[in-house]
Amino acid sequence: MVRNISFTTLMYVLFLLSATGLTNANAQLVAEIEILDVNDRTPVSVSLKFILKNESEDPINVLKWGTPFEGKFTRDMFNIVNNGERVPYRGMLVKRPAPQEKDYIEIARKSEISETVYLKNGYDFNSAGTYTLQYVQETLQI
């Protein structure tokens, strides 16, 4: 899914968002990204709604670590490019022991969960331009 959003004020910013369907032998997850707000003043500020849909007939437990469902950036989970150059990740990187049951979030069958993401909390947006954003699906662990 690619979604184009454009607007013109003092600066022009175009966000192209893509999310890839995620599949597993026992589960089917679909990731979606929706733009909630774009503030085009420097530094650029973008808020997104990150959605995970469980399209299977069974509940799925997903590890929260390194995903928006953790409530903060703990790894580089988006590939963001502005005018051909990667936007630097500036959030923390966390090493952890093996996950425990409490580290997973359950998505009921045929339902979805969502979280608001403020990209300025993890990425360095210092100029207007043409941005592309892609969720790095390797961060999901079922």
Side-chain angles (χ1 to χ4, degrees), residues 80-134:
I80 304 172
V81 177
N82 177 21
N83 296 321
E85 294 197 23
R86 192 163 194 299
V87 174
Y89 174 70
R90 59 178 177 83
M92 65 177 114
L93 297 173
V94 178
K95 290 187 177 189
R96 308 172 199 245
Q100 299 178 8
E101 189 175 326
K102 67 180 172 92
D103 299 317
Y104 289 83
I105 188 167
E106 182 178 288
I107 308 172
R109 68 178 205 87
K110 300 291 185 186
S111 67
E112 66 184 48
I113 58 175
S114 65
E115 186 69 38
T116 300
V117 178
Y118 300 94
L119 293 178
K120 70 179 182 178
N121 293 338
Y123 295 88
D124 188 13
F125 287 93
N126 56 15
S127 64
T130 301
Y131 287 83
T132 60
L133 180 145
Q134 184 175 23

Side-chain angles (χ1 to χ4, degrees), residues 63-81:
L63 184 63
K64 293 185 285 188
W65 294 352
T67 73
F69 302 106
E70 195 168 17
K72 58 187 170 189
F73 284 96
T74 59
R75 72 178 290 164
D76 187 1
M77 67 182 86
F78 294 102
N79 181 27
I80 304 172
V81 177

